Amino acid sequence: MNKRVLIGTLVAGALAATSLQAEDSVFVGHLADLSGPTAFVGKNYADGIRDAMSYINSHGGINGTGLEFETIDYAYKVPQAIASYKKWVSRNNMVAMQGWGTADTEALISFVAKDKVPVYSASYSGHLTDPTGKNPKTQKPAPYNFFYGASYSDGCRALVQWAAEDWKNRGGSGSPKFTHVGDNHPYPNAPKEACAEYATELGFEVMPPIVVSMKPGDFKAQCLSLKDSGSNYAYIANLGGSVVSLVKSCGTVGTDVQFMSNIWGGDKPIFEAAGAGVKDYIFPAMTPFWEDDAPGMSLVREISRESDASGNAFRSHHYMRGICSAYYMKEAMEWAKENGGITGENIKQGMYARQNWVPKGLEGVCLPATWSSEDHRGINTVNIYKGNYNGGDIKVERVTQVTLPRREDWLGY
Amino acid sequence: MSTVSLRPCGDFRTSYAADSTIFETRFTRYLAVAGILLLCLAPLVLDAYFLTLGIQVAYLGIAALGLNILVGFTGQISLGHGAFFGFGAFASAWLHNSFGIPVFFCIPLAGYMTMVVGMIFGSPAARIKGLYLAVATLAAQFILEDFFARADWFTGGSYGASAPPVNLFGYEFTNDQSFWYIALFALVTMYLWGTNLMRTRDGRAFVAVRDHYLSAEIMGINLTKYRLLSFGVSSFYAGIGGALYGHYLGFVSAEGFTILMSIQFLAMIIIGGLGSVKGALLGTIFMVMLPEVLEGIVGLLSATSWGNSTAFTDGLAYLKEMSIGLVIILFLIFEPQGLAHRWQQIKAYWKFYPFSY
């Protein structure tokens, strides 16, 4: 009899605990690449997400509702990403997910649309921006996919626009030559055509792309072809070690080309590793840098203390993008809570509720964003920065800000 | 009494049919049928997480069996299996998107298309072997990977291709519960077929080619034909597995089918047991479950207060990756014949209990 009472109490207690938990918190899954091929930047971004979510939790959560989250290092392996996603959906009643790479985000498109779980990825692939499949080129509409930042295609278009101006300012005559440099792989290829089309529109002569492996190596041969082609502007579509090798190799060969990179290809650790080869290196960014003085940076520094009590650790701008991604989700959740409860569907509606919107406290850090049910290009503004090595004293300065038109034919492309 | 046993006590086989039976006793046959019937009930009890693991075991297991037929039974080597798996996924999506063929038929057709591609890349096997063949198949991996990224008309290039769900008489197998049956049906069919293949003349020829190619040739086995056939069968399996994978996800992107995937398939058959149909399945289950179990342990540790620090969880992430490598090394040292062999030993132990022999 005693045993029965005991078991009864335990069961009742467990039930009460789970129901309490269900009321007080919502579950957010977090996929991160901490040990896989993209861990070079994946770790920084994941730290940003994780710190932001812990900070939100320790400061009142979503108006009183806690964020229960789990970070899983899926090492860029799609099957593991799917398994983790399924676990979260079926066991934790996940309402939103913070994702990472292109391969896993694309693999999950159909699942998240069916389960109505908004996914905030760090893949800025242009074809995640068409929620309805309006553009005939869209393979698969992605109604539940969001990301904070300009798409890879828009990032590249902004750089091309800058390059056109730059060519004029330098007094260049004739049509400048533009080359895409990157691996033959979906991630570097994502903006290739879109960017080449816009470059042609702006009067560039688009050269045949140069294939450079995503894995670091000796790229002198490719640099020689770049030199021989007489390219004036080269867009680097890879990331991490590959970019470092490329810049070094081209430095040795002595190419006279203006390098521009995508959002993952330009940051301080890369400049430190590449060394003297970095000269007037142009790259886009969606946030200020660690040393910059923007009103929202005080909140960023506070968030950073979640995993670094001293507050001295350097954070790259990928970390700040992680924070922005988490905070847009947070405010969409707040809207959802006031408008029928924090469910995946309401969070999605929350993303559409405001226009030109910056999360509270992050003014000057996150760029004003607008999502709509027809258009998931949250950001169409790109800040363009210039990096110089200067014998070890790395100098990064903002060159300009480009705002791209929201052209219909660019949606999902 | 002997029917209620997993293993016959003594050798009572008096006919060729008895010698090449799939199930050694009637009891194991009943057990297998009951097991499959139980698996049919799985969607009623298991949640999407377990189902997704089961579905992964199915599509990866089919491809792994293909590789085992090539490597384990025929003694050839392939480092391009991941790319063939990807080719199957793209081929099935392409067949449906371009010609409107129902997905149910696209899957076997994709298997045949992959078979053709596999035989083209496997043709050097007619002349070369060992390390040279390994490098030739490695080339297949890189050529196909590049092809996936370039051939917009076939794969959608960097955009990838959408692969609609399986549709049967108007019913769409979109969720895990329903797709489970497709996966189970494919798994059982392909494994039965694989087992049967090994009992046929062709299957015995494969084994003869592996065991001693000169003797096989002297016996009248056409080496070129069987080496090529083995590549064909192996790629057919990879294509079917890939097609299932594509239609399960609904979207195929070239990023996943790298050399790492090919190596993972090799790991599956080595851990499971080379030259064993059962081994291919056991190895796949092992490789699918291992990261999940390790993730579970990492999760449990990071739930503790001391285990929740960033440095600790980051460290654990690396530890997890390393332990997968460690397990593979330990298998090679202590269980070179794989899980299938260990299973035989467990059965023998219980048969002879309490005597060790």
Side-chain angles (χ1 to χ4, degrees), chain A residues 34-35 73, chain B residues 290-291 294-295 297-298 301 311-327:
Chain A
L34 307 177
S35 55
D73 169 34
Chain B
L290 183 66
L294 288 171
E295 191 60 62
I297 297 170
V298 170
L301 284 175
F312 186 75
T313 44
D314 288 355
L316 276 180
Y318 291 102
L319 213 63
K320 198 185 76 184
E321 289 296 304
M322 280 194 288
S323 31
I324 295 176
L326 181 73
V327 165

Side-chain angles (χ1 to χ4, degrees), chain A residues 242-316:
Chain A
S242 166
V243 175
V244 173
S245 313
L246 182 77
V247 169
K248 280 195 161 188
S249 298
C250 287
T252 318
V253 168
T255 48
D256 181 27
V257 61
Q258 171 67 60
F259 280 125
M260 311 187 286
S261 83
N262 75 7
I263 189 115
W264 300 107
D267 57 22
K268 275 197 176 165
I270 287 183
F271 299 155
E272 270 163 17
V278 178
K279 200 175 158 284
D280 291 343
Y281 187 91
I282 295 291
F283 62 100
M286 297 296 152
T287 57
F289 285 78
W290 187 239
E291 294 86 358
D292 288 353
D293 212 14
M297 281 309 285
S298 53
L299 177 58
V300 170
R301 293 205 175 90
E302 263 185 70
I303 291 172
S304 167
R305 284 177 186 273
E306 286 291 321
S307 63
D308 168 51
S310 71
N312 295 330
F314 167 80
R315 304 289 189 180
S316 77

Side-chain angles (χ1 to χ4, degrees), chain A residues 34-35 43 50 73 76-77 79 82-83 86-87 90-91 102-103 110 114 139-140 184-185 189 307 413, chain B residues 47 49-50 56 146 149-150 152 158-160 174 176 248-251 255 292 310 314 317-318 320-321:
Chain A
L34 307 177
S35 55
K43 216 192 137 327
R50 200 156 51 178
D73 169 34
Y76 215 79
K77 289 179 189 141
I82 298 168
K86 295 277 173 177
K87 188 169 75 181
S90 59
R91 300 202 174 155
T102 305
S110 328
K114 214 163 33 198
Q139 284 287 345
K140 191 127 198 136
N184 190 25
H185 186 273
N189 277 347
S307 63
Y413 177 47
Chain B
D47 62 10
Y49 172 59
F50 279 124
Q56 275 182 35
D146 201 58
R150 261 177 229 279
D152 280 356
S158 58
Y159 281 76
T174 42
D176 299 280
Y248 173 56
L249 292 189
F251 192 80
E255 267 191 306
E292 297 305 317
T310 316
D314 288 355
Y318 291 102
K320 198 185 76 184
E321 289 296 304

Side-chain angles (χ1 to χ4, degrees), chain A residues 276-359:
Chain A
V278 178
K279 200 175 158 284
D280 291 343
Y281 187 91
I282 295 291
F283 62 100
M286 297 296 152
T287 57
F289 285 78
W290 187 239
E291 294 86 358
D292 288 353
D293 212 14
M297 281 309 285
S298 53
L299 177 58
V300 170
R301 293 205 175 90
E302 263 185 70
I303 291 172
S304 167
R305 284 177 186 273
E306 286 291 321
S307 63
D308 168 51
S310 71
N312 295 330
F314 167 80
R315 304 289 189 180
S316 77
H317 58 305
H318 310 311
Y319 179 87
M320 265 80 97
R321 267 208 313 284
I323 292 180
C324 288
S325 175
Y327 264 72
Y328 278 105
M329 179 186 76
K330 173 193 176 240
E331 296 209 342
M333 283 179 164
E334 283 169 357
W335 186 91
K337 193 173 180 180
E338 283 160 22
N339 293 278
I342 309 178
T343 62
E345 212 170 350
N346 285 345
I347 296 172
K348 180 178 182 248
Q349 293 308 321
M351 292 299 289
Y352 305 148
R354 274 158 282 187
Q355 261 118 47
N356 285 323
W357 153 45
V358 175

Side-chain angles (χ1 to χ4, degrees), chain B residues 35-322:
Chain B
I36 291 167
L37 287 177
L38 266 181
L39 283 176
C40 287
L41 301 177
L44 302 177
V45 256
L46 298 181
D47 62 10
Y49 172 59
F50 279 124
L51 292 179
T52 201
L53 292 180
I55 292 168
Q56 275 182 35
V57 167
Y59 60 67
L60 294 174
I62 290 172
L65 175 58
L67 190 64
N68 214 356
I69 289 173
L70 182 71
V71 180
F73 285 105
T74 323
Q76 307 289 299
I77 184 98
S78 173
L79 292 174
H81 210 63
F84 294 135
F85 184 83
F87 189 88
F90 280 121
S92 190
W94 176 71
L95 284 170
H96 179 81
N97 296 339
S98 306
F99 306 105
I101 301 171
V103 175
F104 193 78
F105 299 109
C106 286
I107 296 174
L109 284 176
Y112 285 113
M113 278 177 72
T114 317
M115 184 173 93
V116 172
V117 174
M119 284 168 95
I120 293 169
F121 282 109
S123 55
R127 290 278 173 274
I128 55 175
K129 53 183 191 295
L131 196 56
Y132 297 95
L133 182 60
V135 174
T137 55
L138 190 64
Q141 171 74 42
F142 289 118
I143 291 170
L144 283 178
E145 253 185 72
D146 201 58
F147 174 74
F148 294 156
R150 261 177 229 279
D152 280 356
W153 57 274
F154 185 65
T155 64
S158 58
Y159 281 76
S162 71
V166 181
N167 188 321
L168 213 57
F169 308 115
Y171 179 76
E172 284 204 338
F173 293 76
T174 42
N175 55 14
D176 299 280
Q177 279 77 9
S178 56
F179 197 85
W180 170 268
Y181 292 102
I182 296 282
L184 188 65
F185 171 72
L187 184 76
V188 171
T189 314
M190 297 305 280
Y191 267 72
L192 266 181
W193 191 44
T195 314
N196 268 326
L197 179 68
M198 288 309 131
R199 307 194 300 161
T200 60
R201 186 187 153 86
D202 291 336
R204 288 196 300 275
F206 286 160
V207 175
V209 172
R210 174 195 69 189
D211 285 348
H212 201 285
Y213 73 95
L214 204 59
S215 315
E217 203 167 19
I218 292 165
M219 282 195 296
I221 290 169
N222 183 342
L223 288 186
T224 309
K225 177 185 157 191
Y226 282 106
R227 280 176 177 159
L228 256 185
L229 188 66
S230 183
F231 261 98
V233 173
S234 156
S235 317
F236 180 76
Y237 271 83
I240 299 279
L244 284 170
Y245 167 81
H247 292 294
Y248 173 56
L249 292 189
F251 192 80
V252 198
S253 160
E255 267 191 306
F257 314 112
T258 57
I259 178 87
L260 283 176
M261 187 175 225
S262 300
I263 292 170
Q264 210 168 3
F265 279 127
L266 277 174
M268 281 174 196
I269 60 168
I270 290 170
I271 287 175
L274 287 172
S276 160
V277 173
K278 197 191 301 154
L281 190 61
L282 291 176
T284 313
I285 294 173
F286 187 86
M287 285 299 279
V288 170
M289 294 308 293
L290 183 66
E292 297 305 317
V293 171
L294 288 171
E295 191 60 62
I297 297 170
V298 170
L300 281 180
L301 284 175
S302 52
T304 58
S305 55
W306 53 270
N308 208 14
S309 65
T310 316
F312 186 75
T313 44
D314 288 355
L316 276 180
Y318 291 102
L319 213 63
K320 198 185 76 184
E321 289 296 304
M322 280 194 288

